[in-house]
Amino acid sequence: MSATPPAGPVLPQPVLSRPTSRETLRADVAALLADGHRMLVVVAENAPDAVRLGYVLARPAGGPHGSRGAGDAGESRVELTLEVSTADAWVPTIADLSYPGGRFEREIRDLFGVEPRDHPLPRRLVRHAHWPRAWHPLLGRRSAQTDVVPDFGEDLSAFPFLEVGGDGVYEIPVGPVHAGLIEPGHFRFSVVGETIVRMKARLWYLHRGVERLFEGRTPDDGVVLAERISGDTAVGHTLAYALACEEALGLVVPQRDRLVRALLLELERMHNHAADLGMILNDVAFGLANVHLQRVRENLLRLNESVTGHRLLRGGVRVGGADVVALPDVGLVRAAAADVAEVVRLALEHPMVLDRLVATAVLGREDALRMGVLGYVARASGVDVDARRDHPFADPAALPGGPPEPVVDDEGDVLARFTVRAREVEASARFVVAASEVLAGAGSGAPTPPDPVAPHASPGGAVDGTTRGLGVVEAWRGLLCHRVTVGADGRLLRVKVVDPSFMNWPALPVALADTIVPDFPLANKSFNQSYAGNDL
């Protein structure tokens, strides 16, 4: 499994870096958006007496949102770059051009102190009120001698929730401490009777400084951290991280290892979807169906352990390749998919189940497009986005049957999100079986020791010896990306992580408008966004 060039085309496409300025930034972003690019991430990193900003946009292979036809342009990845002095740290906002872009700007202001001028929603995003006003935790290089942690006060100020007035309106606060094994988040409901007029979520109670923890590690040493960013997405995060490191270091991964990575990604999708389908049914009081689907999940977790040695598939992806202890038992994979299909069929034949799922928490296509929603949430609202097809990390022609076809619905309700995920389990199982058979025919053999990873010449290299890379993956929740900067000494200077939950959390309150309060757990589970992946 040494890193040797594959016979097919080298994937993914490298990022094209283009300089911009405060004067031209908005026009440059607008032109790329008009050309079919979407905002993946806005990243900030430290430079001498300055902050370097990178606006990374990508256009899918074949055109945006599934509108593919003859003559469509190929995949494109562009990073618009500019530096702003720390003494005059501001940029013109792009919030009116890109909703995700506006949220990245608020995050960068909190963590690096770069002000987005004329932003329509200037309040804090990441830092709660007890954070000192002038302290930006990612600004400046880490140094044990010079790092000064200021005193943190109590979070006594009220979060600026929009108050909804009128006859019969009252508020229901929920969290941040919840019953059961759930991560912290605060939800404020404005309600008339049982109907939700408005819901606002306040997150970042789980902010752990993950991006800072990457700094100074070698690319190999960063894998163990990437696997733990969001525990249920070990493969997705590690793969995006590995792809970014490989682009920065100039490594090319063999096609066989790319196929192993694709297989592991679908195994991760299967056990998460099976669990969530059961818990959605549990929220409509169909507990027996949930028990059966949790049994399926347990069988898949045990299968995972036989494949990589870990129930959550840790250890399967590394920088430069992939390793498995054994290939999946295709009989168990087929049985799991059949069990999921049977439970889903029985559930959807029950009129009380359908009554709870149909027309509940509807997210319309236009709202999904405007907010940049990703993954099964987007596909259930009629937005045909899937990075397995749009931004492939493996040659699609070399995959058995090609990548799994995106499953799309246009109703946008809980039922659509439920059925999309049920059909994705079937598609993932077919791919895992086909990939396992191809790999078995090629000879699995014992995993070879990983080659040592060292800096290589990279087309994205800068004059100071730093190199940068981008990793884009369709994780089970949706498109996930990592953007890394590697220093001349081969150690990580900056790792920016974007879990799909960062994009999808804001859409939940939109979907909840006119939903009744008792259906909030059901709607929330149909989205099932990660607190840890968002808060970092």
Side-chain angles (χ1 to χ4, degrees), residues 21 104 144 204 388 447 493:
S21 66
F104 285 123
W204 281 277
R388 291 172 293 183
L493 293 177

Side-chain angles (χ1 to χ4, degrees), residues 44-120:
E45 59 187 29
N46 290 291
D49 300 318
V51 176
R52 180 188 184 275
L53 298 172
Y55 297 74
V56 184
L57 299 94
R59 182 182 60 212
H65 312 310
S67 57
R68 292 158 177 79
D72 281 332
E75 186 191 15
S76 167
R77 301 181 181 189
V78 178
E79 179 172 339
L80 301 172
T81 64
L82 77 157
E83 288 190 6
V84 294
S85 167
T86 53
D88 187 29
W90 67 271
V91 289
T93 186
I94 59 166
D96 57 322
L97 304 176
S98 165
Y99 180 84
R103 297 189 78 237
F104 285 123
E105 289 178 330
R106 293 172 64 196
E107 180 189 43
I108 289 171
R109 182 202 52 211
D110 283 357
L111 300 180
F112 284 86
V114 179
E115 185 69 27
R117 282 196 178 171
D118 301 320
H119 197 290

Side-chain angles (χ1 to χ4, degrees), residues 33-335:
L33 293 173
D35 191 39
H37 291 71
R38 68 176 298 147
M39 184 68 67
L40 295 185
V41 58
V42 183
V43 61
E45 59 187 29
N46 290 291
D49 300 318
V51 176
R52 180 188 184 275
L53 298 172
Y55 297 74
V56 184
L57 299 94
R59 182 182 60 212
H65 312 310
S67 57
R68 292 158 177 79
D72 281 332
E75 186 191 15
S76 167
R77 301 181 181 189
V78 178
E79 179 172 339
L80 301 172
T81 64
L82 77 157
E83 288 190 6
V84 294
S85 167
T86 53
D88 187 29
W90 67 271
V91 289
T93 186
I94 59 166
D96 57 322
L97 304 176
S98 165
Y99 180 84
R103 297 189 78 237
F104 285 123
E105 289 178 330
R106 293 172 64 196
E107 180 189 43
I108 289 171
R109 182 202 52 211
D110 283 357
L111 300 180
F112 284 86
V114 179
E115 185 69 27
R117 282 196 178 171
D118 301 320
H119 197 290
L121 193 62
R123 66 171 180 255
R124 292 182 179 189
L125 183 70
V126 178
R127 298 187 305 156
H128 286 209
H130 70 294
W131 289 61
R133 182 176 300 276
W135 191 63
H136 305 284
L138 290 185
L139 183 62
R141 300 290 188 197
R142 187 206 302 246
S143 168
Q145 289 74 36
T146 61
D147 272 5
V148 176
V149 179
D151 292 331
F152 284 74
E154 294 184 54
D155 193 353
L156 298 177
S157 64
F159 185 76
F161 289 102
L162 176 66
E163 293 187 9
V164 179
D167 292 340
V169 177
Y170 63 98
E171 287 188 345
I172 304 175
V174 178
V177 178
H178 301 276
L181 297 177
I182 184 172
E183 293 171 301
H186 179 70
F187 305 98
R188 183 74 60 92
F189 297 87
S190 298
V191 178
V192 175
E194 286 192 326
T195 302
I196 299 170
V197 178
R198 179 183 175 88
M199 190 277 279
K200 178 64 179 177
R202 185 189 193 193
L203 303 172
W204 281 277
Y205 292 92
L206 202 63
H207 187 74
R208 298 150 290 159
V210 168
E211 294 177 350
R212 188 78 168 196
L213 291 173
F214 275 106
E215 294 180 12
R217 295 176 182 242
T218 66
D220 282 343
D221 290 341
V223 169
V224 68
L225 183 55
E227 289 177 329
R228 290 159 176 79
I229 290 172
S230 183
D232 55 19
T233 317
V235 176
H237 273 290
T238 309
L239 179 52
Y241 168 77
L243 290 170
C245 289
E246 287 154 8
E247 180 176 299
L249 299 174
L251 296 176
V252 179
V253 176
Q255 184 63 43
R256 181 186 183 281
D257 285 18
R258 297 180 192 177
L259 181 55
V260 171
R261 290 173 168 188
L263 180 149
L264 295 175
L265 202 60
E266 298 311 310
L267 284 176
E268 183 168 80
R269 198 179 317 275
M270 287 185 67
H271 81 76
N272 280 295
H273 280 352
D276 281 2
L277 291 170
M279 286 183 274
I280 289 172
L281 294 174
N282 193 59
D283 281 338
V284 299
F286 201 170
L288 182 60
N290 181 42
V291 169
H292 280 291
L293 287 172
Q294 299 313 317
R295 171 185 56 82
V296 173
R297 176 180 184 259
E298 176 61 27
N299 289 338
L300 289 170
L301 291 176
R302 295 179 183 184
L303 176 67
N304 292 347
E305 188 170 16
S306 73
V307 173
T308 70
H310 195 282
R311 287 163 61 87
L312 297 178
L313 296 168
R314 293 174 185 168
V317 177
R318 57 179 169 82
V319 177
D323 299 306
V324 292
V325 176
L327 293 174
D329 182 330
V330 296
L332 290 177
V333 173
R334 289 192 179 103

